[in-house]
Amino acid sequence: LAKTTQPISMDSYEGQEVNITCSHNNIATNDYITWYQQFPSQGPRFIIQGYKTKVTNEVASLFIPADRKSSTLSLPRVSLSDTAVYYCLVGESPDKLIFGTGTRLQVFP
Amino acid sequence: DTEVTQTPKHLVMGMTNKKSLKCEQHMGHRAMYWYKQKAKKPPELMFVYSYEKLSINESVPSRFSPECPNSSLLNLHLHALQPEDSALYLCASSPQGQKDYNEQFFGPGTRLTVL
């Protein structure tokens, strides 16, 4: 199972764009890159998933370079409600996902 | 219905008690999961059920006993727990057999305190 490495914490201000990078050097050919968000005392919530290049949905974008050894979650114009822990996971199916340490994002007014 | 429900929300038990956690989903998902999460740590996978059969057991102590009575229900039976077992227990589900979509739907969790 591919291991991921993320910054432990990040700070931002409301309205700024936040980019969280995840390193996954031993990602396998069939692995997808998936990001989850977790608020305190709640279950994680799926944000976005990608395999290569760029994926965008209504809440975030995911950038994946050609070698797929890293990925960057981009949150446009964050608000206070985006304060949470963000997890990057790699795996080929839901039952093969391992949560890493995650990045604790704090958004200030 | 795109929700995973868990009961109870909070549970306090002694080390000699027997209790059960319950999880329910009605999304037709055939894979269900139990995770344990300690404060400021990531969720740790405990068990995976696939089509009501236990497919993954991550070397969890026998004082935790999972059960999947049907495709919508998942239980976690607790017996003779230790104070270090105090944690948030999360249930999740996902469509079975999906190799190209890694979304798990998580419940809100049960906050367990072992005295």
Side-chain angles (χ1 to χ4, degrees):
Chain A
L1 297 169
K3 184 180 175 183
T4 60
T5 303
Q6 303 173 233
I8 293 174
S9 64
M10 295 181 69
D11 292 336
S12 182
Y13 291 94
E14 282 193 293
Q16 290 189 334
E17 179 184 73
V18 171
N19 296 309
I20 306 175
T21 297
C22 178
S23 172
H24 29 80
N25 290 318
N26 59 341
I27 189 170
T29 303
N30 293 334
D31 286 346
Y32 282 77
I33 300 155
T34 311
W35 286 79
Y36 283 79
Q37 174 193 55
Q38 187 177 25
F39 298 111
S41 297
Q42 292 187 27
R45 183 176 71 100
F46 175 92
I47 301 174
I48 197 167
Q49 175 184 294
Y51 185 81
K52 60 180 179 181
T53 63
K54 177 184 175 183
V55 179
T56 297
N57 63 21
E58 62 276 8
V59 299
S61 294
L62 179 59
F63 298 91
I64 305 168
D67 66 6
R68 305 200 326 123
K69 293 184 183 299
S70 67
S71 59
T72 299
L73 175 72
S74 181
L75 304 172
R77 297 181 299 282
V78 294
S79 65
L80 295 176
S81 63
D82 293 315
T83 293
V85 179
Y86 292 81
Y87 293 101
C88 163
L89 298 85
V90 295
E92 66 176 5
S93 56
D95 60 340
K96 291 180 170 58
L97 299 181
I98 301 296
F99 282 82
T101 53
T103 297
R104 195 168 298 271
L105 173 65
Q106 179 69 54
V107 180
F108 295 96
Chain B
D1 184 359
T2 58
E3 192 180 37
V4 175
T5 59
Q6 289 187 244
T7 54
K9 283 187 181 301
H10 301 275
L11 178 63
V12 180
M13 60 186 290
M15 289 189 285
T16 58
N17 292 157
K18 285 185 181 181
K19 297 286 184 182
S20 297
L21 309 184
K22 180 181 173 181
C23 173
E24 195 165 359
Q25 58 88 15
H26 296 286
M27 295 177 279
H29 291 170
R30 303 308 294 271
M32 296 186 76
Y33 311 75
W34 279 116
Y35 288 86
K36 172 183 176 180
Q37 186 173 28
K38 304 281 276 185
K40 298 192 185 303
K41 297 291 187 183
E44 296 175 39
L45 184 65
M46 300 174 73
F47 303 105
V48 180
Y49 270 82
S50 174
Y51 290 99
E52 296 100 70
K53 289 191 179 354
L54 185 63
S55 64
I56 295 176
N57 177 343
E58 292 289 354
S59 303
V60 178
S62 59
R63 57 185 183 268
F64 295 91
S65 175
E67 178 197 19
C68 190
N70 60 55
S71 60
S72 300
L73 281 175
L74 187 65
N75 298 320
L76 186 62
H77 303 297
L78 314 172
H79 174 55
L81 294 193
Q82 304 296 311
E84 59 264 30
D85 297 321
S86 298
L88 181 69
Y89 287 84
L90 294 162
C91 173
S93 71
S94 68
Q96 180 58 37
Q98 288 216 343
K99 285 189 173 290
D100 58 355
Y101 193 58
N102 285 338
E103 181 170 6
Q104 292 186 27
F105 293 77
F106 282 83
T110 293
R111 174 74 59 191
L112 174 67
T113 303
V114 182
L115 301 176

